[in-house]
Amino acid sequence: MTTNTFTDPPVEMAKERGKTQFTVRDVTNFLNGGEEETQIVEKIMSSIERDPVLSVTADYDCNLQQARKQTMERVAALSPYLVTDTEKLSLWRAQLHGMVDMSTRTRLSIHNNLFIGSIRGSGTPEQFKYWVKKGAVAVKQFYGCFAMTELGHGSNLKGLETTATYDQDSDQFIINTPHIGATKWWIGGAAHTSTHCVCFAKLIVHGKDYGTRNFVVPLRNVHDHSLKVGVSIGDIGKKMGRDGVDNGWIQFTNVRIPRQNMLMRYAKVSDTGVVTKPALDQLTYGALIRGRVSMIADSFHVSKRFLTIALRYACVRRQFGTSGDTKETKIIDYPYHQRRLLPLLAYCYAMKMGADEAQKTWIETTDRILALNPNDPAQKNDLEKAVTDTKELFAASAGMKAFTTWGCAKIIDECRQACGGHGYSGYNGFGQGYADWVVQCTWEGDNNVLCLSMGRGLVQSALQILAGKHVGASIQYVGDKSKISQNGQGTPREQLLSPEFLVEAFRTASRNNILRTTDKYQELVKTLNPDQAFEELSQQRFQCARIHTRQHLISSFYARIATAKDDIKPHLLKLANLFALWSIEEDTGIFLRENILTPGDIDLINSLVDELCVAVRDQVIGLTDAFGLSDFFINAPIGSYDGNVYEKYFAKVNQQNPATNPRPPYYESTLKPFLFREEEDDEICDLDE
Amino acid sequence: MISPNLTANVEIDGKQYNTFTEPPKALAGERAKVKFPIKDMTEFLHGGEENVTMIERLMTELERDPVLNVSGDYDMPKEQLRETAVARIAALSGHWKKDTEKEALLRSQLHGIVDMGTRIRLGVHTGLFMGAIRGSGTKEQYDYWVRKGAADVKGFYGCFAMTELGHGSNVAGLETTATYIQDTDEFIINTPNTGATKWWIGGAAHSATHTACFARLLVDGKDYGVKIFVVQLRDVSSHSLMPGIALGDIGKKMGRDAIDNGWIQFTNVRIPRQNMLMKYAKVSSTGKVSQPPLAQLTYGALIGGRVTMIADSFFVSQRFITIALRYACVRRQFGTTPGQPETKIIDYPYHQRRLLPLLAFTYAMKMAADQSQIQYDQTTDLLQTIDPKDKGALGKAIVDLKELFASSAGLKAFTTWTCANIIDQCRQACGGHGYSGYNGFGQAYADWVVQCTWEGDNNVLCLSMGRGLIQSCLGHRKGKPLGSSVGYLANKGLEQATLSGRDLKDPKVLIEAWEKVANGAIQRATDKFVELTKGGLSPDQAFEELSQQRFQCAKIHTRKHLVTAFYERINASAKADVKPYLINLANLFTLWSIEEDSGLFLREGFLQPKDIDQVTELVNHYCKEVRDQVAGYTDAFGLSDWFINAPIGNYDGDVYKHYFAKVNQQNPAQNPRPPYYESTLRPFLFREDEDDDICELDEE
């Protein structure tokens, strides 16, 4: 059969698919955690895809106002599931939907996770029941938002300036914004939707400041959506992305709320103004960990979509050619193109392993904490144990959140570039995907701040280890002795391809790095206070977090492969090895300076990365098909399943922009007057002097 | 009663300030720390007082023209931006007659800082279309099109139809055909399949009357490769399509909505033979084809764009680094000492490390951009003046062109990538407020990043540059002379060079360090190339095998180029009062670059593991040195608030006031109910769920 540029792609795609050497379904099940999970995922995906209100095919051309309205319609369409979905289903639904519609997902989750999560996590059981009766869970005559950040204050909750002053006479709190810098800012749901908010404010009783607490404050009258007395609200308008979310600002001018609107699971204020503080403060921020853990999974879900697009396109796009051939070369066959995308495919797989692990720990930990009564002295030991676990999760999820959200942003952008000019088309989704995504790198814990705080935690753990104390499972390796001894003769090829060696190499790099930083810290605290010493070691803390997290991803990847079916195991091992070796290649400085590898090893690793790229290359269609994304979730014609990229792309562009008139709408008003303008000649002054 | 909030109260000169009122005072305090005359720094950056005066005049002209006002752009939908862009082009047209070439280029670059859409929409005509006519047409052809209105853009708008749906960077692979018909002395332009549809053509959807179309020249059934043809798209008086032309709008893009990119299909469109641009290849009326001595001469028009993009990387980077650093000087967050106000984020060592090396990089880009521009001007002047029949002169010009082609490839790739990184890092350094549409990062990133894939995809450019570097090295081994930019490959001493106790603050040592690692990478890749070709691979296959190495060679060589250009310019033209501050920046740039790539220096043996700690300490040291001068370094860019176009980056530092005002000006808070309250929100909040049907039917 003869084909041309236009007709060749689907033929090529079919051939590429034919190269797959494993059962795609087995990899899908491996990724999802079993056949049962796959069926749940598929059921949810169908229910999203088949609902006409949720159709995203025209979203790329929506302006902000359309996006806001449409998002609200979609929230309505999804609302029945709020009542019927289990926690697990609801999380799956949100994550899967988020792949193609981050705005709707976020707009709903502001109510469903942040608002309700705060009530559940920081309110007493009675308070939770009370707000449920008011319609909070069913989202009926009720929409909640989460008023935490202020114009002048973001990540540092302790610095927030909104006040909640207890007035004993009326048994009320007075919520107040002291100046414009303390305006609640970025509040999703505030501009258009919310009737209530959970407001973070400084608790002040009898003139004393008890720190930041949560208060439920009504914003709008339920019946006519007009503002409550003392509440001012505005729209913060255009953002980089997520136009469908109605972020707003809120100012409170001496707004009175009943004392009972303070969420009192931990700190309490009695009607005589007696304040009881919780045993442990950090538990009040638990609602934020859920978001963080979920973002690790989101990084996987969003990454897999764009990698599928770029790799499918690479399998059918031809460009340039090595001499002699009549047809140009498929870009997937260029070694450098493989190097750009295949390590990222492996990275994407690794993210899923890390995400599942974090999610499992999170569910176990929160279940345990919610079952405990923080004010019962008999439960003190259990509580302390739960707090240690929460801390460990807090630290581990910090680095994972930071590096997977950054990893995902990089993947979207690299995949866009790998699709050349067509990556820049609005209809292939990269622009929207990137703009919607990158807020994940700065919100719910800014990535850099998270890494620095994790780096501090790692040094503190090392100090614990040096003092012979117990540390969490994920950092125990820091106390082990390295099994690698480099004698300068280099590392044999088999070693460099062995999971045990690669895990140990990363652990050694991470361990040495943490221990060296700890030495420096101990040196510095002889003259500085601990905070100052940690400030001096900022660069080192960041590096500790970075290398430890990469180590963690690599270890999780190999550990999970141990559970894989035999027919897919070798393919997964290739991916994991590619990820580990490429990670070394990207960071040769560390491995050389720690004397884990020699310069000769680095050359060998370069060749091994090349070889693994070649080995993975033929399986790319299988490995991306295994993500199980229909064209609805791909939402990019150049990434469609059948590979018929040009036909679908051309059709999409013309469907969204019907070619009816060669003259633009502003032809008469602007273009024609410009093209046919007459310039006045420079005046020549005839006046005789 | 409201308790005192320590984090909100700062005392300066005996007066109390809070979160909202402190910022302008804080920025004034930073400005007072500056130890060098800003004007001298500005003149250093722009190459002297005369240039600064010109730039300031052009900026004022842009800023004062109400049609060019960009302050409402962030909220404009695509259709409005497209119309606005035409109105702005009309407003700019008054300058065309009087602007010198230099003024025109600067005007467009300065305008591009805030309005890339308009700048490129115009650039499609003036840069690409006119560039093609001037570069590839004969003198007579150029005069002919000028008479038709091309230079004045009157009754005429040109576009540049190069890329096709199925073909991008590989010009040689294009499929559109131009078949010569001797009987009528015409070419027939044709799109053979949908994959050959001209695609991404800026100006095609709405504006263009003519296009410079890249098509395969076919004469008597023989394919002579891709040449350029002027094809009329629309009837000038009615703007309706010419027979055989089909075109459409390609719609939504990641950014640059102001540009009306479109697609074009030609169905046997006839044009006179004279519409082929014949400066190099020619077709006579009898169908005789004469080919140019070197095909790459015809692509010269693309180098201009490439060189401009290096400068653009500087122009755009300076804007965002200014915003992020000013904001860092006034934003407080967290604190290390209880009872004290929160810390200004610029005082966090890690925040300094995130931004200050990028500030230094921005300065370095300007030095390299200016150098490339000078080379480009010299080379094109030469090409315009020499007689194509003068083989000797042509040969010399081609050598220069090749050198420029190679060095501009790497610089274009790494400066456009760095600029994208700077926009993104600066956004993140502004936290949540970086995500607001009104602080410009989102729009700018979306507008910018196409620079990384167009006019030579960055990765393709790097690979081709890496090939060139290996070829230079091979040539040198065979005794051929080296071009000036790779002269260091002849320096045998580099192989033995190590730090061995010398001072890492000494620019000479730092330049040597970079030359050593660049030389090492290129020599090693060349060795492998020789080994592979001896083992039986063809040169093309061997180069494919060495893709990763080629990329690395391009990367390291280009970083070395930037480092060298920075120090050379300091030595050549920095006044004594700014010189130490420039050396601090250049050293920060160089040492940070070493730290980022420490593996290279370890494996080449220039540094020992223990030296790496010293590099890190020196980077910290220079961050501290540079930190106190940031207000000066960024003020020296000379950008007014109009060019900043981001309230958190305003000159006076009154960030919260300007930002709050901007948000409210663009989104007046009139109605707490959204426009869709009655239609959508209320029915949702007040919905009644139907009960599940309970089937009352009795079962048997």
Side-chain angles (χ1 to χ4, degrees):
Chain A
M1 188 173 73
T2 4
T3 55
N4 61 29
T5 305
F6 191 63
T7 54
D8 171 57
V11 179
E12 283 305 319
M13 181 60 82
K15 279 192 218 155
E16 291 288 342
R17 200 160 268 133
K19 293 181 185 169
T20 308
Q21 290 165 347
F22 54 86
T23 312
V24 172
R25 183 84 178 172
D26 286 345
V27 175
T28 306
N29 289 343
F30 170 79
L31 282 167
N32 288 329
E35 171 70 24
E36 208 177 308
E37 295 290 322
T38 299
Q39 286 184 14
I40 294 174
V41 167
E42 285 174 348
K43 197 179 84 181
I44 296 174
M45 287 174 107
S46 307
S47 76
I48 294 171
E49 184 167 346
R50 289 178 183 176
D51 187 332
V53 180
L54 302 183
S55 167
V56 288
T57 57
D59 282 16
Y60 298 130
D61 282 300
C62 274
N63 63 34
L64 180 138
Q65 290 309 338
Q66 288 168 326
R68 295 248 179 115
K69 175 170 195 262
Q70 190 168 277
T71 304
M72 198 62 233
E73 286 161 358
R74 292 178 188 171
V75 166
L78 289 165
S79 64
Y81 299 111
L82 292 176
V83 183
T84 57
D85 271 355
T86 61
E87 171 107 359
K88 181 169 148 185
L89 285 184
S90 140
L91 194 60
W92 266 125
R93 188 180 305 279
Q95 288 176 348
L96 294 166
H97 193 204
M99 259 189 283
V100 281
D101 189 355
M102 219 26 123
S103 279
T104 303
R105 185 253 166 102
T106 304
R107 189 152 172 192
L108 184 56
S109 116
I110 283 157
H111 170 87
N112 201 32
N113 298 327
L114 292 177
F115 180 86
I116 298 289
S118 301
I119 306 273
R120 190 184 281 124
S122 303
T124 63
E126 297 70 34
Q127 286 182 315
F128 181 65
K129 277 186 211 131
Y130 173 79
W131 292 108
V132 169
K133 276 205 299 266
K134 296 278 254 182
V137 167
V139 207
K140 284 192 172 177
Q141 302 176 34
F142 197 105
Y143 209 99
C145 66
F146 189 72
M148 185 173 81
T149 47
E150 297 174 358
L151 182 54
H153 301 277
S155 302
N156 184 16
L157 293 188
K158 286 182 190 153
L160 296 175
E161 297 183 74
T162 304
T163 53
T165 311
Y166 181 58
D167 176 32
Q168 197 176 331
D169 293 347
S170 58
D171 198 22
Q172 288 175 323
F173 288 107
I174 301 170
I175 309 289
N176 193 54
T177 304
H179 55 78
I180 298 176
T183 304
K184 291 291 174 188
W185 198 263
W186 281 114
I187 314 308
H192 285 174
T193 333
S194 293
T195 58
H196 292 71
C197 75
V198 163
C199 174
F200 283 60
K202 283 186 162 331
L203 169 64
I204 292 163
V205 182
H206 299 326
K208 194 174 162 199
D209 180 344
Y210 290 90
T212 302
R213 307 289 157 197
N214 295 357
F215 302 82
V216 180
V217 186
L219 299 174
R220 288 179 169 92
N221 289 307
V222 169
H223 288 281
D224 63 3
H225 223 60
S226 60
L227 297 180
K228 290 284 195 185
V229 177
V231 173
S232 311
I233 285 182
D235 185 345
I236 65 164
K238 186 67 188 166
K239 303 186 294 293
M240 183 169 173
R242 307 206 182 190
D243 275 344
V245 185
D246 56 324
N247 296 78
W249 56 261
I250 312 173
Q251 290 170 342
F252 303 97
T253 310
N254 298 317
V255 174
R256 287 177 170 266
I257 55 167
R259 180 174 52 87
Q260 292 83 350
N261 280 23
M262 172 171 150
L263 297 177
M264 299 207 202
R265 186 182 182 86
Y266 301 102
K268 291 178 202 304
V269 178
S270 76
D271 57 4
T272 56
V274 176
V275 181
T276 30
K277 298 255 270 178
L280 292 151
D281 244 7
Q282 49 272 71
L283 293 181
T284 54
Y285 308 135
L288 290 176
I289 308 189
R290 178 193 160 119
R292 201 182 275 183
V293 168
S294 193
M295 278 192 265
I296 308 170
D298 282 343
S299 301
F300 163 72
H301 288 296
V302 172
S303 296
K304 73 185 183 190
R305 175 179 166 215
F306 290 103
L307 279 162
T308 305
I309 299 170
L311 283 167
R312 284 185 181 161
Y313 181 70
C315 285
V316 303
R317 170 74 172 190
R318 295 179 181 276
Q319 186 132 297
F320 293 102
T322 32
S323 46
D325 270 340
T326 44
K327 268 189 181 171
E328 291 179 302
T329 305
K330 289 198 274 184
I331 57 178
I332 190 72
D333 287 320
Y334 287 106
Y336 202 71
H337 208 77
Q338 294 170 9
R339 273 183 164 272
R340 288 168 68 188
L341 294 177
L342 302 185
L344 297 179
L345 174 67
Y347 194 167
C348 177
Y349 270 68
M351 283 182 197
K352 181 67 163 94
M353 317 308 149
D356 286 352
E357 213 181 76
Q359 186 145 319
K360 212 171 124 227
T361 322
W362 176 71
I363 289 172
E364 286 167 9
T365 317
T366 32
D367 282 356
R368 251 171 48 218
I369 288 181
L370 283 176
L372 292 167
N373 176 355
N375 300 305
D376 178 359
Q379 299 185 11
K380 192 163 174 278
N381 279 348
D382 291 342
L383 205 65
E384 270 169 9
K385 172 88 178 65
V387 169
T388 312
D389 289 351
T390 310
K391 272 190 175 170
E392 167 126 7
L393 177 64
F394 212 81
S397 66
M400 291 285 286
K401 182 267 184 184
F403 291 102
T404 58
T405 56
W406 273 328
C408 178
K410 182 187 158 57
I411 284 173
I412 301 172
D413 196 61
E414 191 64 44
C415 288
R416 172 188 68 76
Q417 292 191 51
C419 295
H422 299 325
Y424 200 69
S425 166
Y427 306 108
N428 290 318
F430 297 99
Q432 177 84 62
Y434 187 86
D436 280 354
W437 179 256
V438 294
V439 69
Q440 309 270 59
C441 302
T442 52
W443 78 3
E444 300 202 19
D446 171 78
N447 283 358
N448 285 288
V449 174
L450 289 178
C451 290
L452 291 175
S453 113
M454 183 187 201
R456 175 192 283 247
L458 290 167
V459 171
Q460 284 165 338
S461 297
L463 288 169
Q464 297 268 325
I465 292 172
L466 294 174
K469 289 190 188 144
H470 176 77
V471 294
S474 69
I475 29 189
Q476 278 165 10
Y477 74 90
V478 176
D480 298 341
K481 221 176 127 40
S482 177
K483 297 185 196 89
I484 295 180
S485 54
Q486 179 58 253
N487 56 13
Q489 300 302 303
T491 313
R493 180 189 159 92
E494 315 79 70
Q495 285 250 301
L496 288 176
L497 289 169
S498 122
E500 295 73 25
F501 177 83
L502 290 168
V503 168
E504 190 53 35
F506 265 92
R507 291 202 163 158
T508 304
S510 176
R511 175 190 302 121
N512 292 2
N513 208 44
I514 293 170
L515 292 176
R516 181 173 312 103
T517 307
T518 308
D519 285 349
K520 284 219 174 115
Y521 172 79
Q522 286 177 312
E523 189 60 37
L524 288 170
V525 283
K526 286 177 187 160
T527 51
L528 301 175
N529 74 31
D531 282 338
Q532 289 166 331
F534 276 124
E535 274 313 311
E536 278 291 302
L537 293 170
S538 298
Q539 168 70 4
Q540 287 85 348
R541 274 149 72 204
F542 188 89
Q543 293 302 326
C544 286
R546 194 171 68 82
I547 300 159
H548 169 79
T549 303
R550 186 54 63 98
Q551 172 277 132
H552 184 87
L553 279 166
I554 288 168
S555 309
S556 315
F557 200 166
Y558 286 119
R560 176 82 162 266
I561 289 176
T563 70
K565 279 195 181 174
D566 287 344
D567 68 329
I568 59 172
K569 214 176 216 166
H571 298 285
L572 291 167
L573 270 175
K574 277 178 200 155
L575 273 187
N577 281 349
L578 176 57
F579 179 56
L581 289 166
W582 170 77
S583 296
I584 293 177
E585 203 182 46
E586 293 278 292
D587 251 330
T588 54
I590 295 165
F591 293 87
L592 289 173
R593 92 166 276 189
E594 302 299 347
N595 197 29
I596 300 164
L597 298 169
T598 65
D601 291 342
I602 302 296
D603 281 345
L604 184 50
I605 286 173
N606 282 335
S607 323
L608 290 174
V609 171
D610 285 343
E611 281 175 31
L612 285 164
C613 280
V614 171
V616 170
R617 179 253 171 270
D618 272 354
Q619 303 305 308
V620 287
I621 293 304
L623 290 168
T624 49
D625 281 355
F627 294 135
L629 298 173
S630 68
D631 285 349
F632 173 89
F633 285 93
I634 292 291
N635 201 21
I638 61 167
S640 53
Y641 182 82
D642 65 6
N644 200 0
V645 297
Y646 297 126
E647 192 182 309
K648 295 213 158 143
Y649 178 32
F650 192 64
K652 176 82 181 181
V653 164
N654 286 294
Q655 176 197 318
Q656 295 297 111
N657 306 277
T660 42
N661 187 349
R663 281 166 293 275
Y666 51 84
Y667 179 69
E668 293 296 337
S669 67
T670 314
L671 184 56
K672 191 171 171 186
F674 164 61
L675 289 174
F676 290 89
R677 74 197 179 282
E678 296 279 343
E679 275 153 25
E680 220 173 315
D681 289 333
D682 283 343
E683 234 177 302
I684 297 166
C685 185
D686 295 331
L687 194 71
D688 278 334
E689 277 183 65
Chain B
M1 189 199 71
I2 290 162
S3 82
N5 181 351
L6 285 169
T7 64
N9 284 285
V10 179
E11 200 181 289
I12 303 168
D13 301 335
K15 276 193 201 151
Q16 294 281 318
Y17 294 89
N18 66 26
T19 307
F20 189 63
T21 55
E22 191 216 67
K25 197 73 189 166
L27 192 53
E30 292 295 337
R31 232 163 236 138
K33 294 181 190 167
V34 177
K35 290 184 192 149
F36 54 83
I38 308 278
K39 188 162 179 294
D40 287 349
M41 192 61 93
T42 308
E43 286 174 8
F44 170 79
L45 273 168
H46 292 302
E49 186 172 2
E50 208 176 310
N51 283 345
V52 172
T53 308
M54 183 191 284
I55 286 172
E56 285 174 350
R57 176 172 59 77
L58 293 170
M59 286 175 120
T60 309
E61 285 171 4
L62 289 166
E63 182 169 346
R64 289 185 180 170
D65 188 330
V67 180
L68 302 183
N69 179 11
V70 290
S71 69
D73 284 16
Y74 297 132
D75 282 301
M76 277 193 198
K78 188 181 80 195
E79 288 311 320
Q80 203 183 339
L81 279 169
R82 289 202 177 169
E83 174 165 10
T84 305
V86 173
R88 291 180 184 167
I89 288 171
L92 289 165
S93 67
H95 296 292
W96 296 341
K97 270 191 189 151
K98 62 174 181 55
D99 271 356
T100 62
E101 192 157 333
K102 183 172 169 184
E103 283 171 317
L105 181 61
L106 263 174
R107 186 185 300 279
S108 124
Q109 286 177 331
L110 294 166
H111 193 201
I113 298 174
V114 281
D115 188 356
M116 224 22 131
T118 303
R119 185 251 170 107
I120 297 303
R121 183 139 175 202
L122 179 57
V124 161
H125 171 88
T126 54
L128 293 176
F129 180 84
M130 290 306 292
I133 305 279
R134 191 183 288 120
S136 302
T138 62
K139 176 85 178 55
E140 295 70 33
Q141 286 180 314
Y142 177 72
D143 291 343
Y144 173 80
W145 292 108
V146 168
R147 278 200 305 277
K148 295 278 251 178
D152 294 343
V153 205
K154 283 193 175 176
F156 195 104
Y157 206 100
C159 67
F160 189 74
M162 187 173 82
T163 49
E164 296 173 358
L165 183 55
H167 301 277
S169 300
N170 184 16
V171 173
L174 297 172
E175 295 183 77
T176 304
T177 54
T179 311
Y180 182 61
I181 305 296
Q182 198 177 333
D183 291 350
T184 58
D185 199 21
E186 286 175 320
F187 289 108
I188 298 175
I189 309 291
N190 194 51
T191 303
N193 66 64
T194 312
T197 304
K198 290 292 175 186
W199 199 263
W200 283 112
I201 313 308
H206 287 174
S207 359
T209 57
H210 291 71
T211 191
C213 174
F214 284 59
R216 314 196 76 77
L217 171 63
L218 302 176
V219 182
D220 292 334
K222 194 176 163 198
D223 183 340
Y224 290 90
V226 174
K227 313 290 170 203
I228 307 175
F229 304 82
V230 178
V231 186
Q232 188 167 354
L233 299 174
R234 287 178 170 94
D235 177 88
V236 169
S237 55
S238 68
H239 221 62
S240 54
L241 299 181
M242 298 300 280
I245 301 288
L247 58 78
D249 185 349
I250 65 163
K252 187 67 190 165
K253 303 186 295 291
M254 182 170 175
R256 306 204 183 190
D257 274 343
I259 309 168
D260 56 324
N261 296 79
W263 57 261
I264 311 171
Q265 291 171 340
F266 304 94
T267 310
N268 298 317
V269 174
R270 288 176 173 260
I271 56 167
R273 179 175 53 88
Q274 293 81 352
N275 281 21
M276 172 173 152
L277 297 179
M278 298 205 202
K279 183 169 188 168
Y280 301 107
K282 295 178 202 302
V283 177
S284 76
S285 59
T286 57
K288 261 189 65 187
V289 180
S290 48
Q291 289 272 47
L294 255 186
Q296 57 253 60
L297 284 178
T298 55
Y299 307 139
L302 289 176
I303 306 189
R306 201 183 273 181
V307 169
T308 305
M309 278 193 266
I310 307 169
D312 281 344
S313 300
F314 162 75
F315 281 112
V316 172
S317 296
Q318 62 171 352
R319 175 178 166 210
F320 290 99
I321 202 83
T322 303
I323 298 171
L325 282 169
R326 284 185 182 159
Y327 181 70
C329 286
V330 305
R331 171 76 171 187
R332 291 181 180 274
Q333 186 133 295
F334 294 103
T336 38
T337 321
Q340 287 299 304
E342 291 182 301
T343 306
K344 288 199 271 183
I345 57 179
I346 188 73
D347 285 321
Y348 287 107
Y350 202 71
H351 208 78
Q352 293 169 12
R353 276 184 162 272
R354 287 167 71 189
L355 294 178
L356 301 183
L358 299 179
L359 170 70
F361 206 142
T362 304
Y363 270 69
M365 285 186 208
K366 182 67 164 81
M367 315 306 143
D370 287 350
Q371 221 181 49
S372 298
Q373 185 71 46
I374 291 168
Q375 282 174 15
Y376 173 72
D377 289 344
Q378 287 168 350
T379 314
T380 37
D381 281 355
L382 194 65
L383 285 174
Q384 292 299 326
T385 49
I386 51 171
D387 178 357
K389 286 174 205 127
D390 180 350
K391 290 274 161 61
L394 204 62
K396 162 84 178 66
I398 284 165
V399 170
D400 288 351
L401 194 68
K402 269 189 171 173
E403 173 115 4
L404 180 63
F405 211 81
S407 69
S408 66
L411 283 169
K412 182 267 184 185
F414 290 102
T415 59
T416 56
W417 271 329
T418 299
C419 179
N421 183 41
I422 285 176
I423 299 170
D424 197 59
Q425 286 298 324
C426 289
R427 173 187 69 75
Q428 293 192 50
C430 296
H433 300 325
Y435 200 67
S436 166
Y438 307 108
N439 291 319
F441 297 99
Q443 177 77 62
Y445 187 86
D447 280 353
W448 179 257
V449 295
V450 69
Q451 309 270 57
C452 303
T453 51
W454 78 3
E455 300 201 22
D457 171 76
N458 282 358
N459 284 288
V460 174
L461 288 179
C462 289
L463 291 174
S464 113
M465 184 189 197
R467 176 191 281 247
L469 290 168
I470 294 171
Q471 282 166 336
S472 293
C473 189
L474 279 170
H476 170 63
R477 291 181 186 184
K478 287 175 189 151
K480 284 192 197 157
L482 285 166
S484 59
S485 70
V486 284
Y488 63 92
L489 292 175
N491 181 356
K492 289 283 169 214
L494 287 177
E495 277 173 39
Q496 308 309 323
T498 60
L499 179 62
S500 45
R502 287 181 295 164
D503 186 359
L504 270 173
K505 290 188 204 157
D506 179 357
K508 277 198 212 80
V509 174
L510 293 170
I511 290 174
E512 187 183 295
W514 276 99
E515 284 184 343
K516 166 145 182 151
V517 294
N519 178 62
I522 296 168
Q523 298 287 356
R524 189 173 307 105
T526 308
D527 291 345
K528 278 212 176 140
F529 177 83
V530 172
E531 192 186 311
L532 290 169
T533 44
K534 273 188 186 152
L537 293 187
S538 74
D540 278 341
Q541 288 167 329
F543 278 124
E544 267 326 296
E545 281 286 301
L546 292 171
S547 297
Q548 169 72 1
Q549 288 82 351
R550 276 151 69 204
F551 187 89
Q552 290 300 322
C553 289
K555 185 176 125 186
I556 303 163
H557 171 80
T558 302
R559 186 57 62 95
K560 187 234 111 213
H561 185 128
L562 283 159
V563 165
T564 319
F566 203 160
Y567 288 117
E568 277 173 3
R569 172 82 160 262
I570 293 174
N571 288 333
S573 71
K575 283 193 188 168
D577 59 359
V578 294
K579 198 167 186 176
Y581 301 98
L582 286 163
I583 294 283
N584 282 348
L585 271 190
N587 281 1
L588 173 59
F589 174 61
T590 308
L591 286 158
W592 170 77
S593 298
I594 292 175
E595 196 186 38
E596 291 279 292
D597 253 329
S598 62
L600 295 175
F601 296 84
L602 290 172
R603 82 159 300 173
E604 298 296 342
F606 191 86
L607 299 178
Q608 296 302 309
K610 64 176 168 43
D611 298 329
I612 302 295
D613 279 344
Q614 200 199 334
V615 171
T616 296
E617 276 162 28
L618 282 173
V619 172
N620 286 344
H621 163 79
Y622 283 112
C623 278
K624 282 189 183 127
E625 291 288 315
V626 168
R627 179 254 169 271
D628 273 351
Q629 307 301 313
V630 283
Y633 287 122
T634 49
D635 283 354
F637 293 135
L639 298 172
S640 69
D641 288 349
W642 193 86
F643 283 92
I644 291 292
N645 201 20
I648 61 166
N650 274 9
Y651 182 82
D652 65 8
D654 207 348
V655 297
Y656 298 124
K657 190 174 103 185
H658 292 305
Y659 179 32
F660 191 67
K662 177 80 182 181
V663 164
N664 286 294
Q665 175 198 317
Q666 296 297 112
N667 305 277
Q670 294 140 328
N671 188 348
R673 283 167 292 274
Y676 51 86
Y677 179 69
E678 292 298 339
S679 68
T680 312
L681 183 56
R682 190 177 165 85
F684 164 61
L685 290 174
F686 288 84
R687 74 198 179 283
E688 298 278 345
D689 293 331
E690 218 173 319
D691 289 335
D692 283 345
D693 240 324
I694 296 165
C695 185
E696 285 159 10
L697 195 70
D698 277 336
E699 281 181 66
E700 289 300 315

